[in-house]
């Protein structure tokens, strides 16, 4: 079974930083592109970032470009999201997703709250 376990969320002030982690198991992590998505209360799912299977190329939503960095460690089956210069509008539940679930969240996520 595909298992993805996110961690690293928390409460920070605007301008702060967080590093999210996602531990993957149950599939060959290094074979697949991975994505981070997020969902704020009362809003739909929003794509945040994608990284290819080798970790060479990445794409970002315009709303996070220049502030967030996605990375992965295929040897450790880990996906990361470094989030800098956080804004209140970044507050959401963050999920790592794989194509094995059509990039739909199937895990508990990690909560990020940005407030002054």
């Amino acid at each position: 079974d595909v298992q993805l376990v996110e961690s690293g969320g928390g409460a920070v002030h605007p301008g702060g930083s967080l590093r999210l982690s996602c531990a993957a198991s149950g599939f060959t992590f290094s074979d697949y592109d991975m994505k981070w998505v997020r969902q704020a209360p009362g809003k739909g799912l929003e794509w945040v970032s994608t990284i290819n299977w080798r970790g060479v190329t990445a794409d970002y939503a315009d709303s996070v470009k220049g502030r967030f960095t996605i990375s992965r460690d295929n040897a450790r089956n880990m996906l990361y999201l470094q989030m800098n210069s956080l804004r209140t509008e970044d507050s959401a539940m963050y999920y790592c997703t794989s194509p094995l679930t059509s990039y739909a969240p199937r895990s508990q996520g990690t909560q990020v709250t940005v407030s002054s």
Side-chain angles (χ1 to χ4, degrees):
D1 285 353
V2 173
Q3 286 203 334
L4 299 168
V5 180
E6 301 91 344
S7 61
V12 297
H13 294 306
S17 297
L18 286 171
R19 188 192 193 209
L20 306 185
S21 299
C22 172
S25 61
F27 65 107
T28 306
F29 177 74
S30 57
D31 281 353
Y32 300 99
D33 297 357
M34 296 290 292
K35 298 180 188 282
W36 285 98
V37 299
R38 66 186 182 185
Q39 188 165 26
K43 296 190 176 180
L45 211 56
E46 178 188 15
W47 167 72
V48 175
S49 182
T50 302
I51 189 167
N52 80 325
W53 62 277
R54 290 179 61 196
V56 173
T57 59
D59 292 308
Y60 299 92
D62 287 344
S63 58
V64 307
K65 200 170 293 183
R67 301 187 297 119
F68 290 11
T69 303
I70 191 171
S71 62
R72 65 191 297 162
D73 183 341
N74 285 344
R76 290 183 169 84
N77 291 347
M78 294 293 296
L79 180 71
Y80 303 101
L81 187 68
Q82 177 66 44
M83 306 188 297
N84 299 328
S85 302
L86 282 162
R87 303 169 180 169
T88 55
E89 55 264 39
D90 294 319
S91 295
M93 188 71 78
Y94 284 71
Y95 304 91
C96 63
T97 63
S98 84
L100 299 176
T101 62
S102 301
Y103 294 110
R106 292 287 186 269
S107 49
Q108 87 282 359
T110 188
Q111 179 69 43
V112 171
T113 302
V114 186
S115 68
S116 53

